[in-house]
Amino acid sequence: MLDEPFAAGNSVIHRIDPRFRVVASIVYSLVVAVVYTFPALFTAFFFSLCLIASARLDLRRVLKRLVLVNGFVLMFWLLLPFTAEGEILYRLGPIAVYRPGVILAAQITLKSNAILMALIALVSTMSFATLGHAMNRLKFPEKFVFLFLLTYRYIFVIEQEHKKIWRAVKIRGFSPATSLHCYKTYAYMIAMLFIRASARADRVYRAMKCRGFSGRFYTLAEFGASGGNLIFSVTVSLATVAIIALEWFPPKLLPFY
Amino acid sequence: MNTREDAERILKLRGIRFAYPGENPVLNDLDFDLYRGDRIGLLAPNGSGKTTLFHLIIGLLAPNAGILEIFGNEVTAERDFIAIRRKIGLLFQDADDQLFSPTVMEDVAFGPLNMGKSKDEALAISRRVLSFLGLSAFEDRITFKLSGGEKKLVSLATVLAMEPEVLLLDEPMNGLDHHTRMRLREILESIDLTYIIISHDIDFLIDTTSAIYTMADGRIMKDEQVSIHQHDHAHLFGHVPHKHK
């Protein structure tokens, strides 16, 4: 369910300190999310492509993830060009295609893909556990990190419980239908899942108490500084600065603006 | 029993009564003593209060009545139990309850770190325990991807890493394959700790414990002498002459 196909690897990106990657991905995503001019967006898109390339990931898998998100983006292309009114680009019979809509949809496409590719290259190249530790070291709130790691640990157990309940219903001839009986069964299943999850939480907490848990979170992860980190930080910073510069002083090369 | 020194006594339970809210008492007027070096098996029907007894001993539940003395002192407050839990390690029935960290190493080091050990000390203890259990190769494994048997052994490692004096093992053999059962048996034979084992597996208890008690009517019944007897049993290659361990 939650596999980590990109976490194992030994590319340039994989070797960079997870903390640097987390910070870089946050700063970079924020900047890309707020820029609007096309030179800046294309630069970001290209830079994200470079990140993916240097992470040496299975491109088919990357594409599969991108397709998933671009399904949503497709919805924008189906709606925005026809609804965001303004200058008419051209007419398809009775339907007008509006220029601001097309521009907006294009911006969303570039932005979302650039951010997603950067996150795949920088963040999904570390395991959940590493990400948790990186967040802990970056002084993210402890409760947040705990919640993240425990969710990761127990989502599989809850999935198993869900499968168990589902099997129990199925072997007794239950098949989904639009009936009160079916809704009631679903309600029971969900309720049972919550009850089991809560009982599980209780037992886990007891087990933690037995081992002296007092609310403090210790981590064993060691992150070392290396030359690669410096080069990485400088590269990402330069790219980010370039994107901001292009946003503020867009070159008049492209016919959009 | 009475001849043994009080100094050797680890647990002294007198008149313990416990009922879950709105239910009949599971433990009623229960007396129990545990001495250093004891290896006790607890064999009793489901629902007779075995797990409840373990949880009372380490303060996860509080008795409705009775006196609980551990290491010679009466314990009632949560603060007292925090110290007790370092000396008495509980192995839970379900390993998934016990293992909550992403990796094996972190889970094993969790206890020592909570006890205030430094990171290096915690790592050293964890490595030692893992290698004692033959799990050295497991350090960086993801806990939820372990098999049932591996999970059980790693849970035992997390308990042993606290360096306890007493072990409470709640159905440790549940759902384990033959190989892991044998490993666990060997491990228990080789550690020099006082322990109580809850199990439904009489053969296992005969091998690993020196006395088997049972529970009825909310009390512990002593059966000091395990009578040796014969009965038919079936397994693969049973027709080949063989001996049982």
Side-chain angles (χ1 to χ4, degrees), chain A residues 140-175:
Chain A
F140 275 60
E142 261 181 4
K143 281 189 180 129
F144 181 79
V145 177
F146 241 125
L147 207 58
F148 177 80
L149 288 176
L150 286 179
T151 305
Y152 170 62
R153 168 66 181 82
Y154 284 103
I155 199 144
F156 298 92
V157 178
I158 291 175
E159 191 206 12
Q160 276 167 16
E161 306 246 334
H162 171 253
K163 279 188 185 152
K164 246 189 249 172
I165 298 174
W166 187 237
R167 273 197 297 269
V169 200
K170 263 210 308 222
I171 56 161
R172 282 187 285 156
F174 175 78
S175 68

Side-chain angles (χ1 to χ4, degrees), chain A residues 15-172:
Chain A
R15 284 197 296 267
I16 289 157
D17 187 325
R19 287 171 300 177
F20 284 70
R21 286 191 266 157
V22 170
V23 172
S25 62
I26 293 172
V27 174
Y28 178 74
S29 308
L30 277 178
V31 169
V32 177
V34 296
V35 298
Y36 280 96
T37 63
F38 281 94
L41 285 175
F42 274 114
T43 311
F45 189 82
F46 179 73
F47 182 67
S48 297
L49 272 179
C50 295
L51 286 176
I52 290 275
S54 47
R56 297 184 167 279
L57 302 173
D58 180 355
L59 287 181
R60 214 176 307 158
R61 277 217 161 104
V62 176
L63 275 178
K64 235 165 113 184
R65 289 205 178 177
L66 289 178
V67 164
L68 218 68
V69 170
N70 283 296
F72 287 103
V73 172
L74 194 66
M75 298 294 291
F76 288 116
W77 280 105
L78 290 176
L79 290 172
L80 284 176
F82 311 105
T83 50
E85 294 193 6
E87 186 191 333
I88 291 167
L89 206 59
Y90 53 87
R91 285 181 177 280
L92 291 166
I95 305 162
V97 178
Y98 298 105
R99 191 185 154 89
V102 173
I103 288 176
L104 205 58
Q107 285 168 335
I108 291 171
T109 311
L110 285 172
K111 267 185 204 200
S112 51
N113 281 291
I115 293 176
L116 192 68
M117 284 193 296
L119 287 178
I120 289 176
L122 299 178
V123 179
S124 72
T125 45
M126 61 182 93
S127 65
F128 282 86
T130 313
L131 179 56
H133 292 144
M135 293 195 298
N136 180 252
R137 287 308 184 78
L138 289 168
K139 305 272 180 257
F140 275 60
E142 261 181 4
K143 281 189 180 129
F144 181 79
V145 177
F146 241 125
L147 207 58
F148 177 80
L149 288 176
L150 286 179
T151 305
Y152 170 62
R153 168 66 181 82
Y154 284 103
I155 199 144
F156 298 92
V157 178
I158 291 175
E159 191 206 12
Q160 276 167 16
E161 306 246 334
H162 171 253
K163 279 188 185 152
K164 246 189 249 172
I165 298 174
W166 187 237
R167 273 197 297 269
V169 200
K170 263 210 308 222
I171 56 161
R172 282 187 285 156

Side-chain angles (χ1 to χ4, degrees), chain A residues 4 129 133 137 146 149-150 152-154 156-157 160 200 203-204 206-214 216 218-222, chain B residues 55 58 60-61 78 85 90 92 94 96-102 105-107 109-111 113-114 119 123 142-144 158 162:
Chain A
E4 306 167 311
H133 292 144
R137 287 308 184 78
F146 241 125
L149 288 176
L150 286 179
Y152 170 62
R153 168 66 181 82
Y154 284 103
F156 298 92
V157 178
Q160 276 167 16
R200 165 82 62 182
R203 293 199 301 273
V204 171
R206 285 183 180 191
M208 289 169 80
K209 252 168 65 173
C210 285
R211 289 199 279 150
F213 177 67
S214 54
R216 280 264 319 137
Y218 303 92
T219 162
L220 289 172
E222 292 278 5
Chain B
H55 286 200
I58 48 169
L60 294 175
L61 297 170
E78 170 70 12
R85 289 181 198 134
L90 172 62
F92 279 61
D94 185 349
D96 267 319
D97 293 342
Q98 201 135 19
L99 304 175
F100 64 91
S101 302
M105 187 44 124
E106 278 167 300
D107 223 309
F110 177 78
L113 286 173
N114 284 333
K119 198 182 286 184
L123 280 172
I142 305 293
T143 43
F144 69 84
T158 67
M162 304 277 291

Side-chain angles (χ1 to χ4, degrees), chain B:
Chain B
M1 259 321 187
N2 297 332
T3 56
R4 296 169 93 171
E5 294 281 329
D6 270 1
E8 290 286 293
R9 178 151 55 200
I10 293 171
L11 287 180
K12 181 179 169 188
L13 277 65
R14 291 291 177 269
I16 295 287
R17 208 182 93 92
F18 181 83
Y20 289 97
E23 288 173 34
N24 291 327
V26 259
L27 304 179
N28 208 350
D29 199 20
L30 176 142
D31 294 345
F32 179 62
D33 293 279
L34 182 76
Y35 293 87
R36 202 171 295 282
D38 276 357
R39 298 182 156 202
I40 289 171
L42 213 49
L43 179 91
N46 294 326
S48 54
K50 307 179 298 276
T51 302
T52 306
L53 176 67
F54 276 9
H55 286 200
L56 281 170
I57 292 173
I58 48 169
L60 294 175
L61 297 170
N64 303 125
I67 295 166
L68 182 57
E69 260 185 49
I70 305 179
F71 297 110
N73 303 311
E74 191 177 341
V75 279
T76 44
E78 170 70 12
R79 196 156 26 90
D80 307 328
F81 280 110
I82 288 175
I84 297 294
R85 289 181 198 134
R86 294 175 177 196
K87 293 181 178 170
I88 303 182
L90 172 62
L91 186 74
F92 279 61
Q93 245 177 65
D94 185 349
D96 267 319
D97 293 342
Q98 201 135 19
L99 304 175
F100 64 91
S101 302
T103 68
V104 167
M105 187 44 124
E106 278 167 300
D107 223 309
V108 180
F110 177 78
L113 286 173
N114 284 333
M115 287 163 64
K117 300 266 196 269
S118 78
K119 198 182 286 184
D120 289 333
E121 284 171 318
L123 280 172
I125 294 171
S126 307
R127 293 224 166 87
R128 199 168 64 232
V129 171
L130 284 172
S131 95
F132 170 69
L133 296 178
L135 298 171
S136 291
F138 283 67
E139 281 183 21
D140 294 321
R141 291 276 297 276
I142 305 293
T143 43
F144 69 84
K145 289 181 181 164
L146 300 173
S147 74
E150 290 164 349
K151 272 185 194 166
K152 185 56 86 176
L153 289 175
V154 172
S155 316
L156 182 60
T158 67
V159 174
L160 290 179
M162 304 277 291
E163 302 179 318
E165 295 173 30
V166 182
L167 286 181
L168 305 178
L169 308 165
D170 194 347
E171 303 203 17
M173 303 299 253
N174 250 9
L176 298 186
D177 60 24
H178 178 70
H179 176 71
T180 318
R181 280 167 178 250
M182 295 307 283
R183 288 267 308 275
L184 197 55
R185 193 176 296 211
E186 284 163 18
I187 290 162
L188 287 177
E189 276 163 9
S190 63
I191 47 178
D192 187 26
L193 290 178
T194 308
Y195 56 69
I196 309 177
I197 303 178
I198 294 177
S199 179
H200 293 294
D201 183 343
I202 181 111
D203 292 330
F204 171 63
L205 288 183
I206 288 173
D207 284 346
T208 52
T209 61
S210 50
I212 298 176
Y213 297 171
T214 186
M215 288 179 77
D217 306 324
R219 272 176 233 183
I220 289 182
M221 310 294 193
K222 287 172 190 171
D223 179 12
E224 288 284 88
Q225 286 173 321
V226 176
S227 42
I228 294 172
H229 62 283
Q230 277 190 323
H231 56 83
D232 293 334
H233 66 282
H235 56 72
L236 285 176
F237 305 113
H239 60 280
V240 181
H242 63 279
K243 263 189 170 175
H244 285 282
K245 266 191 91 176

